[in-house]
Amino acid sequence: AQKVTQAQTEISVVEKEDVTLDCVYETRDTTYYLFWYKQPPSGELVFLIRRNSFDEQNEISGRYSWNFQKSTSSFNFTITASQVVDSAVYFCALRHTGNQFYFGTGTSLTVIP
Amino acid sequence: EAGVAQSPRYKIIEKRQSVAFWCNPISGHATLYWYQQILGQGPKLLIQFQNNGVVDDSQLPKDRFSAERLKGVDSTLKIQPAKLEDSAVYLCASSLWPWKKQPSGGDTQYFGPGTRLTVL
């Protein structure tokens, strides 16, 4: 069965602190795709990153970075120097070679000014 | 480029009433998805269309939910009759290609603002 686990339900940090959001996935497929989405209070899910299973290179985009480790089935997301605007619910998702996307239950991040 | 449009943004109905939601995907996106997101949970796929055909509706409660995408563009999702447990945000998303034909990012889904449904 395909499954995405985001064990951290809620996280609070003070502005300018770094924070890492964990994502652990399960799949029997060798080809699969991982995603991160941000859902601000307005409700719309905003695409952040897509990664395929053959590309384990970490990626950095501004204050955002992603650490993909197949050995531990993890795809963690780090925000450096957090800002109040980063406050949102963040979802990790998995798509295997079938049709469906599987979303985790989300991590609610609050950045305190 | 315009994003995914949904309407209405909010809807309050009583149980056993009917309700319909509308979605207009990003222009040129062949695949359209409807998700249900209950408070505190991740989105759950209800139905996926490729052009005007259904790819996956395995989690759609077909006794009360229906969806169509007649011309391969706009889509409507209907609930009839509504139950209290249908209270949720209904999200529409679209992606560029059928993923089998465009593996390099064409499967990335772009979401609309959602419709928040409250069933009293």
Side-chain angles (χ1 to χ4, degrees):
Chain A
Q2 278 61 229
K3 183 179 176 181
V4 177
T5 301
Q6 295 180 257
Q8 304 151 307
T9 306
E10 295 181 2
I11 300 176
S12 292
V13 298
V14 176
E15 199 171 21
K16 298 183 183 178
E17 288 184 342
D18 299 347
V19 59
T20 295
L21 310 182
D22 298 335
C23 174
V24 175
Y25 60 92
E26 293 179 39
T27 180
R28 288 188 289 268
D29 291 358
T30 55
T31 301
Y32 53 90
Y33 305 87
L34 296 163
F35 302 78
W36 274 95
Y37 284 86
K38 174 182 180 180
Q39 189 173 41
S42 60
E44 185 169 341
L45 278 105
V46 177
F47 166 72
L48 295 178
I49 191 170
R50 176 188 188 270
R51 174 69 69 210
N52 72 56
S53 54
F54 299 107
D55 182 3
E56 287 193 71
Q57 191 171 22
N58 291 332
E59 182 158 338
I60 298 174
S61 176
R63 296 184 297 106
Y64 295 171
S65 62
W66 290 269
N67 182 1
F68 177 30
Q69 292 195 338
K70 288 180 74 171
S71 60
T72 56
S73 296
S74 65
F75 186 43
N76 297 337
F77 172 32
T78 297
I79 302 174
T80 303
S82 59
Q83 299 177 1
V84 173
V85 293
D86 296 327
S87 296
V89 180
Y90 290 85
F91 290 95
C92 180
L94 164 71
R95 180 178 79 74
H96 65 124
T97 51
N99 286 328
Q100 285 200 13
F101 276 70
Y102 297 88
F103 282 84
T105 51
T107 297
S108 178
L109 174 65
T110 301
V111 181
I112 303 166
Chain B
E1 181 181 80
V4 177
Q6 289 188 249
S7 67
R9 291 295 312 275
Y10 305 92
K11 190 74 176 178
I12 300 174
I13 61 173
E14 296 190 350
K15 60 183 179 183
R16 291 188 288 272
Q17 286 187 324
S18 302
V19 65
F21 312 127
W22 174 82
C23 173
N24 182 247
I26 293 173
S27 178
H29 279 198
T31 306
L32 185 147
Y33 313 78
W34 281 103
Y35 287 87
Q36 180 191 60
Q37 186 178 19
I38 293 172
L39 186 64
Q41 299 182 17
K44 182 185 84 171
L45 181 69
L46 293 176
I47 189 167
Q48 177 182 343
F49 292 95
Q50 181 175 303
N51 297 311
N52 60 351
V54 175
V55 174
D56 186 343
D57 63 357
S58 58
Q59 298 193 89
L60 186 74
K62 298 180 186 63
D63 57 333
R64 298 183 300 107
F65 285 65
S66 64
E68 60 183 12
R69 194 185 183 200
L70 292 176
K71 296 184 179 179
V73 181
D74 293 8
S75 176
T76 56
L77 175 70
K78 297 179 182 178
I79 307 175
Q80 181 180 10
K83 293 185 176 181
L84 296 176
E85 58 260 37
D86 298 331
S87 293
V89 175
Y90 290 85
L91 296 164
C92 180
S94 68
S95 62
L96 183 60
W97 285 109
W99 53 269
K100 288 182 180 178
K101 294 183 180 180
Q102 183 62 286
S104 302
D107 60 340
T108 298
Q109 296 182 32
Y110 297 91
F111 285 81
T115 297
R116 184 176 297 277
L117 173 68
T118 302
V119 182
L120 303 175

